[in-house]
Tab-separated table of all heavy atoms in Angstrom:
chain	number	residue	atom	x	y	z
W	835	PRO	N	21.561	-27.297	10.688
W	835	PRO	CA	21.934	-28.652	10.967
W	835	PRO	C	21.872	-28.996	12.430
W	835	PRO	O	21.701	-30.052	12.927
W	835	PRO	CB	23.208	-28.837	10.347
W	835	PRO	CG	23.847	-27.497	10.355
W	835	PRO	CD	22.626	-26.598	10.004
W	836	HIS	N	22.210	-27.904	13.285
W	836	HIS	CA	22.286	-28.152	14.742
W	836	HIS	C	20.861	-28.375	15.363
W	836	HIS	O	20.741	-28.901	16.449
W	836	HIS	CB	22.888	-26.914	15.416
W	836	HIS	CG	22.032	-25.702	15.267
W	836	HIS	ND1	21.976	-24.950	14.139
W	836	HIS	CD2	21.188	-25.105	16.205
W	836	HIS	CE1	21.056	-23.929	14.329
W	836	HIS	NE2	20.781	-23.991	15.631
W	837	LEU	N	19.722	-27.937	14.660
W	837	LEU	CA	18.389	-28.040	15.229
W	837	LEU	C	18.099	-29.398	15.525
W	837	LEU	O	17.323	-29.665	16.456
W	837	LEU	CB	17.385	-27.380	14.317
W	837	LEU	CG	16.063	-27.125	14.890
W	837	LEU	CD1	16.079	-26.094	15.954
W	837	LEU	CD2	15.027	-26.723	13.858
W	838	SER	N	18.442	-30.412	14.671
W	838	SER	CA	17.998	-31.752	14.920
W	838	SER	C	18.595	-32.372	16.185
W	838	SER	O	18.096	-33.392	16.778
W	838	SER	CB	18.525	-32.651	13.746
W	838	SER	OG	19.874	-32.632	13.606
W	839	GLN	N	19.669	-31.670	16.745
W	839	GLN	CA	20.316	-32.236	17.913
W	839	GLN	C	19.643	-31.684	19.204
W	839	GLN	O	19.876	-32.198	20.275
W	839	GLN	CB	21.815	-31.706	17.958
W	839	GLN	CG	22.541	-32.267	16.753
W	839	GLN	CD	23.979	-31.594	16.680
W	839	GLN	OE1	24.367	-30.942	17.667
W	839	GLN	NE2	24.655	-31.893	15.647
W	840	LEU	N	18.675	-30.737	19.100
W	840	LEU	CA	17.999	-30.280	20.208
W	840	LEU	C	16.767	-31.107	20.602
W	840	LEU	O	16.147	-31.736	19.748
W	840	LEU	CB	17.410	-28.834	19.924
W	840	LEU	CG	18.468	-27.846	19.483
W	840	LEU	CD1	17.804	-26.524	19.130
W	840	LEU	CD2	19.447	-27.584	20.636
W	841	ASP	N	16.557	-31.208	21.960
W	841	ASP	CA	15.371	-32.035	22.417
W	841	ASP	C	14.151	-31.194	22.186
W	841	ASP	O	14.112	-30.011	21.853
W	841	ASP	CB	15.617	-32.542	23.832
W	841	ASP	CG	15.700	-31.281	24.805
W	841	ASP	OD1	15.088	-30.238	24.437
W	841	ASP	OD2	16.382	-31.476	25.795
W	842	ALA	N	12.955	-31.885	22.259
W	842	ALA	CA	11.686	-31.323	22.043
W	842	ALA	C	11.402	-30.114	22.924
W	842	ALA	O	10.821	-29.064	22.512
W	842	ALA	CB	10.612	-32.399	22.272
W	843	GLU	N	11.830	-30.175	24.190
W	843	GLU	CA	11.546	-29.065	25.111
W	843	GLU	C	12.327	-27.782	24.708
W	843	GLU	O	11.811	-26.730	24.724
W	843	GLU	CB	12.006	-29.413	26.527
W	843	GLU	CG	11.659	-28.548	27.617
W	843	GLU	CD	10.056	-28.293	27.749
W	843	GLU	OE1	9.345	-29.211	27.354
W	843	GLU	OE2	9.631	-27.147	28.104
W	844	GLU	N	13.569	-28.016	24.228
W	844	GLU	CA	14.414	-26.911	23.793
W	844	GLU	C	13.793	-26.296	22.545
W	844	GLU	O	13.809	-25.100	22.349
W	844	GLU	CB	15.834	-27.330	23.502
W	844	GLU	CG	16.813	-26.186	23.038
W	844	GLU	CD	16.958	-25.093	24.045
W	844	GLU	OE1	16.787	-25.351	25.270
W	844	GLU	OE2	17.405	-24.034	23.688
W	845	LYS	N	13.365	-27.069	21.692
W	845	LYS	CA	12.624	-26.587	20.393
W	845	LYS	C	11.415	-25.811	20.828
W	845	LYS	O	11.156	-24.711	20.151
W	845	LYS	CB	12.294	-27.731	19.505
W	845	LYS	CG	13.458	-28.453	18.864
W	845	LYS	CD	12.989	-29.583	17.959
W	845	LYS	CE	14.171	-30.293	17.353
W	845	LYS	NZ	13.647	-31.439	16.564
W	846	LYS	N	10.698	-26.324	21.771
W	846	LYS	CA	9.464	-25.571	22.168
W	846	LYS	C	9.802	-24.199	22.819
W	846	LYS	O	9.097	-23.194	22.518
W	846	LYS	CB	8.711	-26.495	23.176
W	846	LYS	CG	7.342	-25.873	23.601
W	846	LYS	CD	6.759	-26.673	24.733
W	846	LYS	CE	6.410	-28.054	24.233
W	846	LYS	NZ	5.629	-28.833	25.275
W	847	LEU	N	10.951	-24.137	23.639
W	847	LEU	CA	11.351	-22.923	24.239
W	847	LEU	C	11.834	-21.824	23.176
W	847	LEU	O	11.440	-20.690	23.313
W	847	LEU	CB	12.452	-23.219	25.208
W	847	LEU	CG	12.094	-23.905	26.545
W	847	LEU	CD1	13.349	-24.226	27.331
W	847	LEU	CD2	11.068	-22.933	27.332
W	848	ARG	N	12.500	-22.311	22.219
W	848	ARG	CA	12.873	-21.446	21.152
W	848	ARG	C	11.795	-20.938	20.316
W	848	ARG	O	11.724	-19.702	19.965
W	848	ARG	CB	13.904	-22.203	20.195
W	848	ARG	CG	15.249	-22.561	20.885
W	848	ARG	CD	16.299	-22.887	19.829
W	848	ARG	NE	17.549	-23.116	20.427
W	848	ARG	CZ	18.819	-23.095	19.735
W	848	ARG	NH1	18.727	-22.991	18.433
W	848	ARG	NH2	19.889	-23.310	20.378
W	849	ALA	N	10.775	-21.742	20.077
W	849	ALA	CA	9.674	-21.309	19.301
W	849	ALA	C	8.831	-20.287	20.170
W	849	ALA	O	8.333	-19.302	19.648
W	849	ALA	CB	8.727	-22.477	18.937
W	850	SER	N	8.757	-20.598	21.422
W	850	SER	CA	8.000	-19.725	22.230
W	850	SER	C	8.621	-18.270	22.406
W	850	SER	O	7.987	-17.294	22.341
W	850	SER	CB	7.814	-20.338	23.649
W	850	SER	OG	7.196	-19.367	24.570
W	851	GLU	N	9.984	-18.347	22.345
W	851	GLU	CA	10.703	-17.117	22.537
W	851	GLU	C	10.569	-16.295	21.140
W	851	GLU	O	10.454	-15.009	21.233
W	851	GLU	CB	12.197	-17.292	22.815
W	851	GLU	CG	13.157	-16.172	22.798
W	851	GLU	CD	12.770	-15.157	23.950
W	851	GLU	OE1	11.937	-15.445	24.816
W	851	GLU	OE2	13.372	-14.001	23.953
W	852	PHE	N	10.610	-16.945	20.115
W	852	PHE	CA	10.404	-16.329	18.736
W	852	PHE	C	9.056	-15.634	18.652
W	852	PHE	O	8.891	-14.475	18.251
W	852	PHE	CB	10.572	-17.401	17.669
W	852	PHE	CG	10.065	-16.853	16.305
W	852	PHE	CD1	10.723	-15.937	15.643
W	852	PHE	CD2	8.836	-17.392	15.826
W	852	PHE	CE1	10.302	-15.460	14.447
W	852	PHE	CE2	8.418	-16.885	14.632
W	852	PHE	CZ	9.035	-15.912	13.986
W	853	LEU	N	8.059	-16.407	19.090
W	853	LEU	CA	6.636	-15.830	19.095
W	853	LEU	C	6.579	-14.612	20.041
W	853	LEU	O	5.902	-13.653	19.678
W	853	LEU	CB	5.685	-16.845	19.515
W	853	LEU	CG	5.509	-17.977	18.537
W	853	LEU	CD1	4.483	-19.148	19.090
W	853	LEU	CD2	4.898	-17.573	17.173
W	854	ARG	N	7.213	-14.682	21.193
W	854	ARG	CA	7.195	-13.475	22.052
W	854	ARG	C	7.846	-12.327	21.395
W	854	ARG	O	7.255	-11.128	21.392
W	854	ARG	CB	7.953	-13.913	23.413
W	854	ARG	CG	7.828	-12.668	24.397
W	854	ARG	CD	8.689	-13.079	25.628
W	854	ARG	NE	10.151	-12.984	25.318
W	854	ARG	CZ	10.771	-11.847	25.376
W	854	ARG	NH1	10.199	-10.606	25.588
W	854	ARG	NH2	12.062	-11.784	25.157
W	855	LYS	N	9.005	-12.514	20.873
W	855	LYS	CA	9.685	-11.390	20.149
W	855	LYS	C	8.938	-10.995	18.891
W	855	LYS	O	8.995	-9.686	18.641
W	855	LYS	CB	11.103	-11.949	19.688
W	855	LYS	CG	12.069	-12.037	20.851
W	855	LYS	CD	13.487	-12.513	20.390
W	855	LYS	CE	14.455	-12.600	21.540
W	855	LYS	NZ	15.776	-13.092	21.048
W	856	LEU	N	8.306	-11.810	18.218
W	856	LEU	CA	7.483	-11.389	17.055
W	856	LEU	C	6.340	-10.649	17.503
W	856	LEU	O	5.948	-9.568	16.857
W	856	LEU	CB	6.963	-12.627	16.292
W	856	LEU	CG	6.156	-12.331	14.970
W	856	LEU	CD1	7.071	-11.682	13.956
W	856	LEU	CD2	5.721	-13.701	14.451
W	857	SER	N	5.695	-10.891	18.618
W	857	SER	CA	4.521	-10.146	19.133
W	857	SER	C	5.076	-8.774	19.473
W	857	SER	O	4.387	-7.678	19.279
W	857	SER	CB	4.026	-10.865	20.336
W	857	SER	OG	2.929	-10.104	20.787
W	858	LEU	N	6.209	-8.628	20.218
W	858	LEU	CA	6.713	-7.364	20.625
W	858	LEU	C	7.095	-6.511	19.392
W	858	LEU	O	6.830	-5.372	19.333
W	858	LEU	CB	7.905	-7.589	21.436
W	858	LEU	CG	7.751	-8.141	22.802
W	858	LEU	CD1	9.056	-8.373	23.508
W	858	LEU	CD2	6.924	-7.161	23.672
W	859	GLY	N	7.685	-7.190	18.288
W	859	GLY	CA	7.960	-6.445	17.104
W	859	GLY	C	6.768	-5.982	16.463
W	859	GLY	O	6.779	-4.845	15.807
W	860	ASN	N	5.721	-6.784	16.331
W	860	ASN	CA	4.498	-6.374	15.628
W	860	ASN	C	3.872	-5.186	16.396
W	860	ASN	O	3.353	-4.199	15.804
W	860	ASN	CB	3.453	-7.449	15.631
W	860	ASN	CG	3.810	-8.545	14.542
W	860	ASN	OD1	4.576	-8.256	13.612
W	860	ASN	ND2	3.361	-9.758	14.704
W	861	ASN	N	3.894	-5.184	17.746
W	861	ASN	CA	3.437	-4.167	18.581
W	861	ASN	C	4.143	-2.866	18.329
W	861	ASN	O	3.588	-1.781	18.262
W	861	ASN	CB	3.414	-4.516	20.037
W	861	ASN	CG	2.327	-5.534	20.403
W	861	ASN	OD1	1.399	-5.643	19.711
W	861	ASN	ND2	2.597	-6.147	21.564
W	862	GLU	N	5.498	-3.009	18.185
W	862	GLU	CA	6.309	-1.770	17.990
W	862	GLU	C	6.029	-1.213	16.591
W	862	GLU	O	5.942	0.025	16.393
W	862	GLU	CB	7.774	-2.229	18.001
W	862	GLU	CG	8.743	-0.995	17.838
W	862	GLU	CD	10.268	-1.472	18.031
W	862	GLU	OE1	10.472	-2.609	18.254
W	862	GLU	OE2	11.078	-0.484	18.045
W	863	VAL	N	5.747	-2.022	15.599
W	863	VAL	CA	5.403	-1.569	14.234
W	863	VAL	C	4.148	-0.855	14.338
W	863	VAL	O	4.049	0.336	13.772
W	863	VAL	CB	5.323	-2.745	13.178
W	863	VAL	CG1	4.707	-2.262	11.902
W	863	VAL	CG2	6.749	-3.302	13.013
W	864	LEU	N	3.135	-1.422	14.931
W	864	LEU	CA	1.782	-0.747	15.013
W	864	LEU	C	1.910	0.604	15.858
W	864	LEU	O	1.328	1.633	15.398
W	864	LEU	CB	0.788	-1.642	15.747
W	864	LEU	CG	0.482	-2.856	14.889
W	864	LEU	CD1	-0.453	-3.783	15.649
W	864	LEU	CD2	-0.267	-2.476	13.589
W	865	GLU	N	2.652	0.603	16.912
W	865	GLU	CA	2.797	1.836	17.718
W	865	GLU	C	3.582	2.918	16.900
W	865	GLU	O	3.178	4.049	17.033
W	865	GLU	CB	3.613	1.489	18.988
W	865	GLU	CG	2.759	0.691	19.977
W	865	GLU	CD	3.606	0.078	21.080
W	865	GLU	OE1	4.910	0.362	21.119
W	865	GLU	OE2	3.078	-0.609	21.991
W	866	THR	N	4.529	2.479	16.140
W	866	THR	CA	5.298	3.524	15.304
W	866	THR	C	4.421	4.050	14.301
W	866	THR	O	4.433	5.272	13.970
W	866	THR	CB	6.484	2.824	14.757
W	866	THR	OG1	7.379	2.236	15.811
W	866	THR	CG2	7.359	3.892	13.951
W	867	LEU	N	3.670	3.121	13.590
W	867	LEU	CA	2.759	3.645	12.518
W	867	LEU	C	1.728	4.596	13.153
W	867	LEU	O	1.395	5.731	12.621
W	867	LEU	CB	2.030	2.460	11.952
W	867	LEU	CG	2.679	1.638	10.802
W	867	LEU	CD1	1.941	0.308	10.507
W	867	LEU	CD2	2.851	2.404	9.617
W	868	GLU	N	1.103	4.176	14.263
W	868	GLU	CA	0.063	5.108	14.841
W	868	GLU	C	0.655	6.477	15.231
W	868	GLU	O	0.068	7.485	14.982
W	868	GLU	CB	-0.396	4.366	16.147
W	868	GLU	CG	-1.434	5.209	16.881
W	868	GLU	CD	-1.817	4.579	18.221
W	868	GLU	OE1	-2.083	3.431	18.200
W	868	GLU	OE2	-1.791	5.302	19.261
W	869	ARG	N	1.810	6.501	15.837
W	869	ARG	CA	2.349	7.733	16.341
W	869	ARG	C	2.698	8.655	15.239
W	869	ARG	O	2.408	9.849	15.206
W	869	ARG	CB	3.645	7.496	17.232
W	869	ARG	CG	4.359	8.737	17.649
W	869	ARG	CD	5.389	8.423	18.740
W	869	ARG	NE	5.960	7.044	18.528
W	869	ARG	CZ	7.123	6.846	17.748
W	869	ARG	NH1	7.543	7.945	17.156
W	869	ARG	NH2	7.618	5.709	17.648
W	870	ASN	N	3.340	8.105	14.112
W	870	ASN	CA	3.712	8.878	12.998
W	870	ASN	C	2.543	9.357	12.107
W	870	ASN	O	2.500	10.550	11.736
W	870	ASN	CB	4.712	8.173	12.146
W	870	ASN	CG	6.085	8.177	12.827
W	870	ASN	OD1	6.790	9.132	12.735
W	870	ASN	ND2	6.479	7.042	13.399
W	871	ILE	N	1.616	8.448	12.018
W	871	ILE	CA	0.375	8.826	11.151
W	871	ILE	C	-0.448	9.930	11.857
W	871	ILE	O	-0.916	10.808	11.243
W	871	ILE	CB	-0.420	7.581	10.851
W	871	ILE	CG1	0.374	6.682	9.833
W	871	ILE	CG2	-1.715	7.977	10.129
W	871	ILE	CD1	-0.323	5.318	9.600
W	872	LEU	N	-0.593	9.807	13.136
W	872	LEU	CA	-1.454	10.825	13.859
W	872	LEU	C	-0.749	12.149	13.834
W	872	LEU	O	-1.413	13.122	14.001
W	872	LEU	CB	-1.702	10.284	15.258
W	872	LEU	CG	-2.721	9.118	15.467
W	872	LEU	CD1	-2.679	8.559	16.832
W	872	LEU	CD2	-4.139	9.767	15.097
W	873	CYS	N	0.658	12.187	13.788
W	873	CYS	CA	1.338	13.479	13.713
W	873	CYS	C	1.536	13.921	12.244
W	873	CYS	O	2.202	14.965	12.049
W	873	CYS	CB	2.734	13.235	14.358
W	873	CYS	SG	2.573	13.212	16.176
W	874	ALA	N	1.058	13.191	11.304
W	874	ALA	CA	1.354	13.495	9.912
W	874	ALA	C	0.589	14.850	9.539
W	874	ALA	O	-0.459	15.190	10.129
W	874	ALA	CB	0.916	12.409	8.978
W	875	ASP	N	0.937	15.458	8.398
W	875	ASP	CA	0.357	16.599	7.816
W	875	ASP	C	-1.134	16.266	7.532
W	875	ASP	O	-1.371	15.116	6.892
W	875	ASP	CB	1.019	17.200	6.576
W	875	ASP	CG	2.343	17.941	6.943
W	875	ASP	OD1	2.344	18.456	8.045
W	875	ASP	OD2	3.186	17.920	6.191
W	876	GLY	N	-2.009	17.096	7.774
W	876	GLY	CA	-3.476	16.924	7.322
W	876	GLY	C	-4.296	16.137	8.352
W	876	GLY	O	-5.487	16.021	8.065
W	877	MET	N	-3.738	15.683	9.462
W	877	MET	CA	-4.517	14.870	10.386
W	877	MET	C	-5.250	15.690	11.391
W	877	MET	O	-5.835	15.182	12.382
W	877	MET	CB	-3.546	13.873	11.160
W	877	MET	CG	-3.229	12.655	10.241
W	877	MET	SD	-4.676	11.710	9.693
W	877	MET	CE	-4.606	12.027	7.883
W	878	ASP	N	-5.289	17.002	11.147
W	878	ASP	CA	-6.313	17.916	11.928
W	878	ASP	C	-7.418	18.382	11.002
W	878	ASP	O	-8.271	19.046	11.533
W	878	ASP	CB	-5.513	19.116	12.439
W	878	ASP	CG	-4.644	18.775	13.590
W	878	ASP	OD1	-4.967	17.877	14.442
W	878	ASP	OD2	-3.478	19.331	13.696
W	879	ASN	N	-7.365	17.859	9.802
W	879	ASN	CA	-8.457	18.276	8.832
W	879	ASN	C	-9.576	17.365	8.958
W	879	ASN	O	-9.374	16.030	8.926
W	879	ASN	CB	-7.856	18.212	7.384
W	879	ASN	CG	-8.895	18.527	6.352
W	879	ASN	OD1	-9.664	17.657	6.004
W	879	ASN	ND2	-8.752	19.742	5.845
W	880	GLN	N	-10.800	17.936	9.122
W	880	GLN	CA	-11.972	17.029	9.375
W	880	GLN	C	-12.313	16.113	8.285
W	880	GLN	O	-12.680	14.956	8.563
W	880	GLN	CB	-13.157	17.993	9.724
W	880	GLN	CG	-13.151	18.685	11.095
W	880	GLN	CD	-13.195	17.731	12.156
W	880	GLN	OE1	-13.979	16.790	12.216
W	880	GLN	NE2	-12.293	17.863	13.230
W	881	ASP	N	-12.093	16.537	7.031
W	881	ASP	CA	-12.453	15.636	5.885
W	881	ASP	C	-11.426	14.417	5.877
W	881	ASP	O	-11.898	13.268	5.726
W	881	ASP	CB	-12.360	16.478	4.565
W	881	ASP	CG	-13.491	17.451	4.441
W	881	ASP	OD1	-14.570	17.229	5.101
W	881	ASP	OD2	-13.295	18.417	3.728
W	882	ASN	N	-10.150	14.707	6.160
W	882	ASN	CA	-9.134	13.681	6.109
W	882	ASN	C	-9.377	12.741	7.322
W	882	ASN	O	-9.294	11.470	7.139
W	882	ASN	CB	-7.812	14.260	6.227
W	882	ASN	CG	-7.279	14.895	4.966
W	882	ASN	OD1	-7.968	14.779	3.953
W	882	ASN	ND2	-6.205	15.729	5.105
W	883	LEU	N	-9.800	13.265	8.450
W	883	LEU	CA	-10.032	12.347	9.575
W	883	LEU	C	-11.312	11.524	9.356
W	883	LEU	O	-11.258	10.298	9.674
W	883	LEU	CB	-10.277	13.201	10.770
W	883	LEU	CG	-9.019	13.907	11.448
W	883	LEU	CD1	-9.365	14.912	12.508
W	883	LEU	CD2	-8.141	12.790	12.025
W	884	GLU	N	-12.323	12.078	8.750
W	884	GLU	CA	-13.476	11.318	8.534
W	884	GLU	C	-13.174	10.136	7.449
W	884	GLU	O	-13.658	9.036	7.648
W	884	GLU	CB	-14.588	12.213	7.920
W	884	GLU	CG	-15.978	11.527	7.719
W	884	GLU	CD	-16.631	11.015	9.051
W	884	GLU	OE1	-16.334	11.637	10.073
W	884	GLU	OE2	-17.329	10.081	8.977
W	885	GLU	N	-12.438	10.470	6.502
W	885	GLU	CA	-12.089	9.422	5.526
W	885	GLU	C	-11.188	8.359	6.115
W	885	GLU	O	-11.396	7.210	5.817
W	885	GLU	CB	-11.331	10.135	4.366
W	885	GLU	CG	-11.221	9.237	3.110
W	885	GLU	CD	-10.780	10.026	1.879
W	885	GLU	OE1	-10.745	11.306	1.895
W	885	GLU	OE2	-10.489	9.257	0.826
W	886	ALA	N	-10.252	8.795	6.942
W	886	ALA	CA	-9.411	7.868	7.564
W	886	ALA	C	-10.147	6.875	8.545
W	886	ALA	O	-9.843	5.643	8.554
W	886	ALA	CB	-8.325	8.541	8.364
W	887	ILE	N	-11.153	7.423	9.296
W	887	ILE	CA	-11.942	6.592	10.073
W	887	ILE	C	-12.644	5.446	9.453
W	887	ILE	O	-12.824	4.484	9.943
W	887	ILE	CB	-13.000	7.383	10.857
W	887	ILE	CG1	-12.158	8.344	11.949
W	887	ILE	CG2	-14.092	6.655	11.490
W	887	ILE	CD1	-13.112	9.430	12.601
W	888	HIS	N	-13.047	5.671	8.194
W	888	HIS	CA	-13.776	4.655	7.358
W	888	HIS	C	-12.770	3.814	6.429
W	888	HIS	O	-13.298	3.155	5.525
W	888	HIS	CB	-14.871	5.329	6.624
W	888	HIS	CG	-15.921	5.871	7.496
W	888	HIS	ND1	-15.970	7.195	7.841
W	888	HIS	CD2	-16.990	5.342	8.034
W	888	HIS	CE1	-17.015	7.445	8.639
W	888	HIS	NE2	-17.653	6.390	8.786
Side-chain angles (χ1 to χ4, degrees):
H836 66 286
L837 192 67
S838 60
Q839 302 173 8
L840 301 177
D841 59 31
E843 189 61 30
E844 180 64 22
K845 290 180 182 178
K846 185 185 296 184
L847 288 173
R848 290 195 177 197
S850 177
E851 177 64 10
F852 166 72
L853 292 175
R854 185 185 71 82
K855 290 181 177 179
L856 183 60
S857 177
L858 291 174
N860 285 336
N861 288 338
E862 186 177 2
V863 169
L864 292 175
E865 289 167 1
T866 303
L867 279 168
E868 176 186 314
R869 175 166 39 83
N870 283 284
I871 291 173
L872 286 169
C873 286
D875 285 332
M877 283 301 117
D878 287 322
N879 178 282
Q880 288 295 314
D881 291 337
N882 287 347
L883 287 169
E884 185 65 26
E885 193 166 354
I887 286 170
H888 295 94

